[in-house]
Amino acid sequence: MVPRINRSYVIMGTFYFGKMLNNNNKYEVYIHMKKMTSNEIRTMWLNFFKSKGHEIIPSASLIPHNDPTLLWINAGVAPLKKFFDGREKPNNPRMVNAQKSLRTNDIENVGVTPRHHTFFEMLGNFSIGDYFRNEALEWAYELLTSPEFFGFDINKLYMTYYPTDHETREKWISLGIPADHLIPLSGNFWEIGEGPCGPCTEIFYDRGEKYDPENKGIELIKEDIENDRYLEIWNIVFSQFNAKEGLTREQYQELPSKNIDTGAGLERLACVIQDVPTNYETDLFFPLIKFIEEYTKIPYEGQSAFKVIADHIRSVTFAISDGAVLSNEGRGYVLRRILRRAVRFGKKLGINEPFLYKMVQVVADMMHSFYPNVLEQAPLVERIIKQEEEKFLQTLDSGEKRLIELIEEHPNRMITSDVAFLLYDTFGFPLELTKEVASEYNVEVDEEGFKEKLELQRERARQAQKSEQSMNLQNQNYLDFKDTVNFKGYEELRLQTKIIGLFDNGERVDTLTNNGLVVTEQTPFYGESGGQIGDTGLLIVNNHEYKIIDTVKLPNEQNAHLVGINDGSISVGDQVELVVDVLRRKRIMANHSATHLLNDALRKVLGNHVHQQGSLVADTYLRFDFNHYQSPTTEEIIKIEQIVKEAIGNGHQVEVSRSSLEEAKAKGAQALFGEKYGEEVRVIAMGDSLELCGGTHVANTKDIMDFAITNVEAKGSGIFRIEAATYDQIPGQLKKVTNNLNKEMESLITKGHNIIKDGQNIGVNLTFDYQAKDSVEPSYSYIIKKHEDYENLKQIVKDLEKTYDQAYRNQGSGDYAKYLELVKTLPQGKYLVAKVEDLDVTIVKDLVDKIAAHYDNIVVVFASVAGERITFVAKARGNKIHCGNLVKKAAQFTGGNGGGRPDFAQAGGRDVSKVDSALLLIEKEIEEQL
């Protein structure tokens, strides 16, 4: 029966719907999907979940913050791992984001398939111990099918689920999904290592039979066949179990806090909603493809080169905007490979000059409404990309020259897999180009070996990605402990309170008899967070003192004291006195306030693109990691240090205030990504520095006393580290840093004095008047001067050693004239073959040189015997005698080997008893050849 359609259509923007009668004579809404821009799709996603009580989480930088397991942020959930594994509690258990992500494990598929990308955006909604399966599926259904939102035709949607996850299947059916659109798949279980895991349901959109030429239908989903008809647009993970090695999935324990983790690719949603063949025809890519068309005058007809370039320039632009740099290791190496791959595909389109940098502005114009920093950083990104393009085009030429050299050196040999892979990995040479050059010389390439090496590299990348995605195990006891702890440490360092919780090795107990965590109603002890270490001190109960070894934060934000108990016990309900180590706290406060001043100075000297990439505020020193495009110069470091010193000397009052997060940002306060901020934030101001911070600080910058940078180093991939000291710790830290240098300098001074003594032993008067400098300046300049002193001393000792060696050699070879009487004369030239004993080889070489210098045509061969060691040295002038062959023959005769140039050579022998016979052999050889 053909449905009867109501003729009165209603038009809402670009969204159309009407009524139709179904076979049961009931009206149903007949939906035509909206046409939306990618920006509208992203905004609708965020606003929809905001209306469901979710907090919109800003996209994290592509460079992970305080997560050494990740090279890049590669999924929407990656910045939120700390919430999923229970290390921290979010401000709102409901979160939604649009997260920029970067992956390269399948880079060879970019441009080949319609949907593989290196840079992409993941739309996600997340629940941490709040809503679960029912709400997640209801909202997914509403967002996808409601006329108010995306308006997908329900008949176009198919869902997969884990075979034993009957709840998900029944829920989809209750929402109106036909049973024959629900497909059980054993692969629908999200699990990577130990930690949170669970079944998932994937949502597919049916793009119709025109994308299914063999008309296989849902067999494409059931058999997991790569296809263009059923497009996966959303994956919803029910994170409800704790995976543990050695257990089957049926044995996994339920998580104490069940979570929802979802991901929907913006590019895929745009492809469906904009009704285009591939992601590359969406508004997220097509302006870039149009640029390439205009630049090359080549019409776009789906060529891979267009797609690769469009994809890769997005990755490079966003990564550099976020502070990544191009380098030969880690993150920078990955980025460099992406850029160079784009350059190579440009060459396929006939582009042989830098061009990618001209596309940065196109990316910025497309994306700046949601990612304003891309537009802000565009000029800098353009400059960096252009420099790299110019450099790589030269490298490509060098790679081709190197390949041709290898072929010409070994014209009849195959190009090995090692060489092919080296060219690919180091020079960015694709295998096809290597084969093309090799074919011109009729040389084959070991393709199979190359593919094996390439697959090995990809497997390493896949394994690394698995490691990156894994999460820690949750601790249920910590998560369940929700008692409030009042932190008093900003105002007080000593107080009386009551114990409200005890933990022994993670287990909650009533009495503690050994080391464990102690939680009190209130505490002056700061718990480690925000880069600042925890306080230490004393816990006093019934006049018995116990050491507080550390203070940490539990997932629900309570400060917990790690207490060392060697005897006795403490129990819940005990009244205790807590006493913070005051001097240690003062040192920590000085270092924390100095860290803020350092951050401000870095941005003043190096630029506003500098952001904190990690920090440690300890009692003895501070450490600050930051991004920059090149290694800071010594002059820049000294200037940065001076700015901090001036801020300390100016005695700025450290002002602490509270405001809303938005108000603080509007005032220019720096907020660190990765830190959790509530609706009200604590703002720390000192001089020009304004930051959001929950740490402890001095009252006035003068309380820092002084500041000295003690070390600067590169951590790789554009991340640099500064270490510094303040307060009363500067002399000790400078001594620690220069300790090795001092030891090496002491060793050099001893060596210098020994050379003087050696000179006296041979009757040579040498001078060594170096004076050590002991004064310590509390600054980075002291470190620099120390290094300069070391280098200066090293050169003095080197010159002294050279002077002594020359005197020693001159003295040893000074009587060379006595050997002139032994020179033999033949019609064709002269020669001298002699044996000497216990002479340094350098002296023997000098003897040979001096004797040979007296004649225009001569061969001089000396055998130097020192104990069981024989050294043959030969020099020829004005004849065709080959010294290398001579000494080789003598060395082999005496059980050794060696050789050298025709005019000079040296070789070693072993059998001292054969030296005389070897010299007779050499004489005969010379007489025959002269």
Side-chain angles (χ1 to χ4, degrees):
M1 177 180 178
V2 178
R4 287 177 290 156
I5 300 178
N6 186 318
R7 296 295 178 187
S8 57
Y9 288 91
V10 180
I11 301 177
M12 299 171 62
T14 55
F15 168 71
Y16 307 88
F17 71 94
K19 292 181 178 178
M20 67 179 182
L21 286 173
N22 64 17
N23 291 336
N24 296 320
N25 244 19
K26 293 182 179 179
Y27 278 109
E28 289 182 351
V29 176
Y30 177 66
I31 299 173
H32 293 272
M33 186 168 52
K34 294 180 181 180
K35 299 290 185 183
M36 303 170 68
T37 67
S38 56
N39 201 40
E40 289 170 336
I41 296 168
R42 189 193 295 113
T43 301
M44 180 171 282
W45 177 282
L46 295 173
N47 288 340
F48 173 83
F49 283 104
K50 183 180 180 181
S51 74
K52 306 299 182 184
H54 290 61
E55 178 183 352
I56 297 177
I57 305 298
S59 176
S61 165
L62 285 171
I63 302 173
H65 179 76
N66 283 342
D67 189 347
T69 68
L70 283 175
L71 201 60
W72 301 99
I73 291 297
N74 55 15
V77 73
L80 310 177
K81 287 198 299 185
K82 60 188 176 184
F83 302 134
F84 276 83
D85 60 27
R87 282 174 287 157
E88 290 187 27
K89 284 277 187 177
N91 294 325
N92 185 336
R94 300 182 180 187
M95 294 173 284
V96 61
N97 68 1
Q99 175 60 50
K100 50 191 173 184
S101 306
L102 198 153
R103 293 182 194 169
T104 59
N105 54 309
D106 289 326
I107 193 170
E108 71 280 358
N109 289 326
V110 174
V112 177
T113 74
R115 291 171 291 280
H116 273 94
H117 305 296
T118 54
F119 175 84
F120 55 95
E121 291 180 77
M122 286 301 291
L123 308 176
N125 61 291
F126 309 94
S127 167
I128 309 297
D130 188 67
Y131 67 83
F132 198 52
R133 181 179 278 101
N134 285 344
E135 296 90 339
L137 298 185
E138 287 169 5
W139 292 335
Y141 180 84
E142 182 183 357
L143 177 59
L144 291 177
T145 65
S146 169
E148 187 180 348
F149 303 110
F150 292 148
F152 285 6
D153 180 354
I154 191 174
N155 295 308
K156 295 285 188 181
L157 297 177
Y158 288 78
M159 285 73 168
T160 61
Y161 64 95
Y162 192 60
T164 60
D165 184 9
H166 305 298
E167 293 177 68
T168 294
R169 182 179 187 276
E170 294 307 315
K171 185 63 183 179
W172 279 130
I173 290 174
S174 73
L175 292 169
I177 302 298
D180 60 356
H181 282 220
L182 297 170
I183 304 160
L185 290 179
S186 59
N188 276 43
F189 197 96
W190 191 90
E191 178 181 6
I192 302 177
E194 292 195 341
C197 66
C200 62
T201 181
E202 295 170 326
I203 302 172
F204 292 80
Y205 183 84
D206 180 5
R207 299 204 296 163
E209 293 180 1
K210 67 179 179 178
Y211 293 104
D212 182 11
E214 297 181 16
N215 201 26
K216 289 187 175 182
I218 62 170
E219 289 301 314
L220 294 169
I221 301 178
K222 290 179 178 178
E223 301 301 324
D224 193 23
I225 299 170
E226 182 70 30
N227 71 94
D228 296 328
R229 175 172 178 174
Y230 299 97
L231 194 60
E232 181 194 339
I233 56 174
W234 199 349
N235 186 19
I236 301 172
V237 179
F238 309 110
S239 184
Q240 64 187 101
F241 300 109
N242 244 342
K244 196 166 185 180
E245 190 175 354
L247 299 180
T248 63
R249 285 178 179 169
E250 292 74 21
Q251 296 172 313
Y252 289 166
Q253 295 293 310
E254 292 256 340
L255 285 173
S257 174
K258 294 182 178 63
N259 308 317
I260 289 293
D261 164 18
T262 85
L266 175 61
E267 293 78 11
R268 292 181 178 222
L269 280 172
C271 180
V272 169
I273 292 172
Q274 294 173 14
D275 192 21
V276 291
T278 78
N279 294 0
Y280 292 97
E281 286 77 46
T282 68
D283 62 349
L284 290 163
F285 291 92
F286 210 64
L288 295 164
I289 287 174
K290 293 298 292 182
F291 174 92
I292 301 168
E293 266 193 328
E294 293 171 9
Y295 193 87
T296 61
K297 310 303 181 188
I298 299 172
Y300 171 66
E301 297 172 344
Q303 302 96 313
S304 292
F306 282 78
K307 297 174 182 177
V308 169
I309 295 167
D311 171 272
H312 288 8
I313 190 59
R314 290 184 358 132
S315 292
V316 175
T317 300
F318 270 90
I320 297 177
S321 296
D322 280 353
V325 298
L326 301 154
S327 68
N328 289 325
E329 60 181 6
R331 189 178 298 120
Y333 172 70
V334 172
L335 194 59
R336 175 165 278 164
R337 281 195 61 202
I338 294 173
L339 190 151
R340 290 184 168 192
R341 192 168 187 263
V343 172
R344 294 203 319 267
F345 275 88
K347 288 177 76 70
K348 288 187 176 184
L349 295 175
I351 307 174
N352 295 302
E353 70 280 349
F355 75 100
L356 290 172
Y357 75 96
K358 298 177 181 178
M359 301 179 71
V360 171
Q361 192 59 48
V362 182
V363 176
D365 291 341
M366 290 163 53
M367 309 296 280
H368 76 273
S369 61
F370 194 72
Y371 300 107
N373 74 308
V374 178
L375 186 61
E376 293 165 7
Q377 299 294 334
L380 180 62
V381 176
E382 287 175 356
R383 179 170 59 83
I384 291 171
I385 291 178
K386 185 180 181 184
Q387 289 174 351
E388 181 65 17
E389 286 189 271
E390 291 169 343
K391 181 179 177 181
F392 180 52
L393 288 168
Q394 294 174 351
T395 302
L396 271 178
D397 290 338
S398 301
E400 184 169 352
K401 288 175 184 175
R402 179 63 184 136
L403 176 58
I404 292 170
E405 286 173 5
L406 288 168
I407 292 171
E408 290 177 344
E409 288 171 11
H410 309 284
N412 299 317
R413 289 176 56 184
M414 174 183 284
I415 298 296
T416 66
S417 59
D418 286 333
V419 170
F421 192 76
L422 174 72
L423 290 166
Y424 168 81
D425 207 40
T426 303
F427 292 96
F429 240 57
L431 180 64
E432 293 71 25
L433 188 52
T434 299
K435 286 167 59 181
E436 183 180 320
V437 174
S439 67
E440 294 173 5
Y441 291 82
N442 295 317
V443 175
E444 295 184 354
V445 179
D446 181 6
E447 288 187 58
E448 290 304 314
F450 173 86
K451 290 174 182 176
E452 287 175 10
K453 290 183 181 299
L454 188 60
E455 183 56 36
L456 191 63
Q457 185 187 65
R458 288 171 184 162
E459 180 59 29
R460 284 196 294 267
R462 283 191 287 268
Q463 292 303 320
Q465 186 183 358
K466 287 182 181 179
S467 173
E468 290 167 358
Q469 294 290 342
S470 63
M471 297 183 186
N472 298 327
L473 291 167
Q474 292 181 356
N475 184 300
Q476 183 169 356
N477 297 311
Y478 293 154
L479 289 167
D480 289 344
F481 185 73
K482 297 180 179 178
D483 294 30
T484 301
V485 174
N486 190 6
F487 176 61
K488 294 282 192 177
Y490 295 135
E491 306 88 14
E492 302 178 53
L493 295 180
R494 185 177 191 135
L495 58 76
Q496 292 187 344
T497 184
K498 184 175 74 173
I499 295 175
I500 58 174
L502 297 171
F503 294 90
D504 184 355
N505 198 26
E507 295 294 326
R508 191 168 181 181
V509 295
D510 293 325
T511 300
L512 198 61
T513 57
N514 50 34
N515 292 8
L517 289 179
V518 178
V519 188
T520 55
E521 283 183 340
Q522 54 186 9
T523 180
F525 282 71
Y526 183 87
E528 180 174 353
S529 59
Q532 179 176 325
I533 64 173
D535 281 328
T536 61
L538 295 175
L539 179 149
I540 304 171
V541 55
N542 298 327
N543 295 320
H544 195 110
E545 293 185 352
Y546 296 101
K547 283 187 178 181
I548 295 179
I549 305 165
D550 195 4
T551 309
V552 298
K553 274 193 183 293
L554 297 180
N556 292 305
E557 296 297 306
Q558 308 99 327
N559 289 4
H561 317 86
L562 177 60
V563 179
I565 300 177
N566 297 321
D567 61 84
S569 65
I570 53 178
S571 301
V572 173
D574 284 350
Q575 290 291 327
V576 298
E577 186 174 15
L578 300 176
V579 184
V580 174
D581 183 332
V582 177
L583 178 59
R584 185 174 181 272
R585 167 68 86 82
K586 285 182 176 179
R587 290 167 174 165
I588 292 170
M589 291 193 300
N591 280 335
H592 203 150
S593 297
T595 300
H596 283 218
L597 297 177
L598 173 61
N599 188 14
D600 182 61
L602 280 163
R603 292 168 67 82
K604 284 178 178 175
V605 175
L606 302 181
N608 287 329
H609 64 278
V610 170
H611 293 287
Q612 179 177 328
Q613 300 297 325
S615 69
L616 173 67
V617 177
D619 55 330
T620 54
Y621 76 107
L622 67 90
R623 186 179 74 209
F624 191 85
D625 295 347
F626 61 96
N627 63 291
H628 190 42
Y629 300 109
Q630 59 192 19
S631 182
T633 65
T634 298
E635 292 73 20
E636 287 171 333
I637 295 298
I638 291 173
K639 187 175 180 181
I640 289 163
E641 182 185 66
Q642 190 57 40
I643 290 173
V644 177
K645 282 177 174 287
E646 288 174 2
I648 293 169
N650 288 337
H652 298 292
Q653 197 68 23
V654 177
E655 298 174 357
V656 181
S657 61
R658 293 185 178 274
S659 70
S660 71
L661 179 60
E662 293 309 313
E663 286 173 344
K665 285 184 176 179
K667 292 177 183 177
Q670 283 197 62
L672 303 179
F673 183 82
E675 292 301 317
K676 185 175 65 177
Y677 298 109
E679 291 184 7
E680 185 182 73
V681 294
R682 187 166 178 262
V683 184
I684 307 294
M686 58 184 91
D688 294 333
S689 171
L690 189 67
E691 290 192 33
L692 307 185
C693 181
T696 60
H697 289 272
V698 297
N700 187 290
T701 56
K702 278 189 176 179
D703 297 335
I704 300 170
M705 292 172 60
D706 204 351
F707 174 84
I709 292 175
T710 58
N711 188 46
V712 181
E713 62 180 306
K715 301 305 292 180
S717 299
I719 305 298
F720 299 89
R721 171 171 292 175
I722 284 180
E723 292 179 356
T726 66
Y727 205 62
D728 60 354
Q729 294 298 297
I730 293 176
Q733 288 299 309
L734 287 174
K735 184 177 179 181
K736 182 179 176 181
V737 170
T738 58
N739 189 44
N740 287 337
L741 268 181
N742 287 332
K743 286 181 179 177
E744 289 185 34
M745 291 177 76
E746 287 172 9
S747 177
L748 284 170
I749 291 170
T750 301
K751 183 177 180 180
H753 288 306
N754 288 337
I755 293 172
I756 296 295
K757 291 177 183 177
D758 290 340
Q760 291 171 350
N761 292 335
I762 63 171
V764 178
N765 291 320
L766 301 171
T767 58
F768 178 60
D769 57 0
Y770 178 81
Q771 297 296 320
K773 300 171 185 176
D774 295 326
S775 60
V776 177
E777 303 169 33
S779 69
Y780 188 65
S781 297
Y782 169 73
I783 305 290
I784 299 301
K785 288 176 182 176
K786 196 72 176 178
H787 278 279
E788 289 174 352
D789 287 347
Y790 169 71
E791 293 298 330
N792 183 41
L793 175 58
K794 194 161 69 169
Q795 187 61 47
I796 289 171
V797 174
K798 184 178 180 180
D799 292 343
L800 183 64
E801 192 172 29
K802 186 176 179 181
T803 302
Y804 168 79
D805 286 344
Q806 192 60 51
Y808 174 72
R809 290 171 67 172
N810 286 340
Q811 193 176 77
S813 61
D815 60 349
Y816 76 93
K818 69 181 182 182
Y819 293 101
L820 299 179
E821 300 173 2
L822 304 177
V823 173
K824 296 182 180 180
T825 302
L826 296 174
Q828 301 87 346
K830 300 180 183 296
Y831 74 91
L832 170 62
V833 177
K835 180 174 74 171
V836 293
E837 294 185 354
D838 298 323
L839 282 184
D840 192 287
V841 173
T842 57
I843 293 176
V844 176
K845 290 179 181 177
D846 288 344
L847 283 172
V848 169
D849 280 339
K850 289 178 178 180
I851 293 167
H854 273 266
Y855 304 97
D856 293 329
N857 184 346
I858 192 170
V859 180
V860 182
V861 180
F862 269 53
S864 174
V865 179
E868 297 298 317
R869 183 180 174 188
I870 313 166
T871 304
F872 295 99
V873 180
K875 186 177 182 77
R877 287 191 71 194
N879 53 65
K880 295 183 179 180
I881 296 291
H882 195 295
C883 292
N885 293 339
L886 281 181
V887 298
K888 183 175 184 179
K889 182 169 286 192
Q892 289 177 341
F893 187 82
T894 55
N897 210 339
R901 305 194 311 266
D903 61 323
F904 180 85
Q906 177 181 324
R910 295 178 182 175
D911 191 344
V912 176
S913 67
K914 293 183 177 181
V915 172
D916 294 335
S917 299
L919 293 179
L920 289 173
L921 184 67
I922 292 302
E923 281 197 47
K924 184 179 178 183
E925 190 76 20
I926 293 172
E927 289 176 355
E928 289 176 357
Q929 292 187 32
L930 270 178

